[in-house]
Amino acid sequence: MDWPRTPCYLNGEYLPLAEARISVLDRGFIFGDGVYEVVPVYYRRPFRFEHHLARFERSTREIGLASALDRAGWQSVVERLVAGTDAEHQFVYWQVTRGVARRDFAFPADTPPTVFAMTSPFTRPSREQREQGLRVVSRADERWLRCDIKSVSLLGAVLARQYATEQGADEVAQFRDGFLTEGSSSNLWAVRGGTVIAPPRDRLILEGIRYGFVAELCAALGVPFEVRRLTQAEVESCDELMLTSATREILPIVRLDGRPVGSGRPGPVYAKLRAAYDEAIEALRG
Ligand code: PDD
């Protein structure tokens, strides 16, 4: 598929992605002043859409921006973009910025936001990734202190992921003051003694939509689930490590800094959660 020709939404209009234009004075471009969402779409149906909308509304509130469209408005944009694209599975990206204004740090008065949305074909994680697992490297978390906001200011994440790539790894495990936070664009999970342990949902991580989902799956499967801070030593000696994100779903991590995690193979808790995740997606097939 020639995906830049796929339709996108920009400020009320639908047009091919390759033709969409914004001003160089857009505050998203100048300051990274905006927030975004990434929603996976399976069998042409958004997965946990209400959760993504609620998180987006929270992000906009936290930066003093209006959400631009109401829930029905977002729903109709997403439906129209998905309908205009062939792929069975897609992910919809949208972002709202504080609009176009003369460069000045303080918020501009009466400036309409820039509202943009697009969809891309979504290739689900490969069999190899699921069966062989991922490699992760540890790194000091050098991002700002409001990682709970899904901000388009992503330089910290970009530098962290580039570091992983240069190390031949798939993701970073970030540590702040010796405690696990998250990946560059994923939440991380440790398993110790059969219990899934997640770092607290505070300002130091983005609460992934899969965060709540994994908690629900654990409850349904009878897998003990605990929320607490994890030291780097605990992460290094855990039985299993996993990551979740909209685009990577849930994947096992088999190496941390070149050393095997647990047995060095995807573990039994991962296998259970992966099966339950796939089941939830298959339920969308209709
Ligand atoms: N990123 N933490 C960070 C810093 C993230 O950027 C993401 C997702 C997550 C997982 O959230 P969710 O389960 O809602 O995808 C956690 C998306 C995929 C991105 O920026 O492309």
Side-chain angles (χ1 to χ4, degrees), residues 105-231:
F105 284 80
F107 298 176
D110 306 323
T111 300
T114 300
V115 186
F116 171 67
M118 63 178 170
T119 187
S120 313
F122 173 26
T123 307
R124 296 190 56 196
S126 65
R127 194 168 157 174
E128 191 195 340
Q129 285 174 313
R130 294 160 178 238
E131 290 177 2
Q132 306 296 319
L134 303 181
R135 280 183 284 214
V136 163
V137 283
S138 60
R139 188 170 197 260
D141 192 337
E142 295 176 343
R143 302 172 303 161
W144 70 331
L145 296 172
R146 290 305 308 273
C147 296
D148 57 315
I149 299 171
K150 204 163 170 61
S151 157
V152 298
S153 303
L154 286 170
L155 190 53
V158 166
L159 295 178
R161 177 63 72 81
Q162 180 58 21
Y163 174 79
T165 302
E166 286 168 8
Q167 305 288 313
D170 303 292
E171 178 58 297
V172 287
Q174 298 181 99
F175 291 88
R176 199 186 283 272
D177 301 328
F179 293 99
L180 178 68
T181 55
E182 59 182 342
S184 65
S185 58
S186 57
N187 289 119
L188 296 182
W189 310 80
V191 179
R192 291 177 64 87
T195 298
V196 171
I197 310 171
R201 299 170 231 223
D202 55 20
R203 290 182 168 196
L204 301 182
I205 69 165
L206 180 79
E207 183 182 338
I209 300 309
R210 269 127 292 278
Y211 189 119
F213 184 47
V214 166
E216 282 173 30
L217 292 181
C218 286
L221 294 166
V223 173
F225 179 81
E226 202 183 327
V227 174
R228 68 168 172 85
R229 302 213 293 171
L230 279 154
T231 64

Side-chain angles (χ1 to χ4, degrees), residues 55-69:
R55 181 173 68 183
F56 180 70
E57 286 167 0
R58 178 180 181 280
S59 290
T60 56
R61 269 199 313 277
E62 292 297 314
I63 69 159
L65 187 65
S67 137
L69 298 173

Side-chain angles (χ1 to χ4, degrees), residues 33-82:
D33 183 4
V35 287
Y36 75 107
E37 266 306 320
V38 179
V39 184
V41 174
Y42 296 99
Y43 302 110
R44 315 183 74 76
R45 293 187 192 172
F47 183 53
R48 291 176 84 89
F49 190 49
E50 293 294 316
H51 296 77
H52 283 278
L53 279 172
R55 181 173 68 183
F56 180 70
E57 286 167 0
R58 178 180 181 280
S59 290
T60 56
R61 269 199 313 277
E62 292 297 314
I63 69 159
L65 187 65
S67 137
L69 298 173
D70 60 15
R71 288 192 173 201
W74 283 114
Q75 184 155 355
S76 91
V77 168
V78 170
E79 277 171 10
R80 186 149 165 194
L81 291 178
V82 169

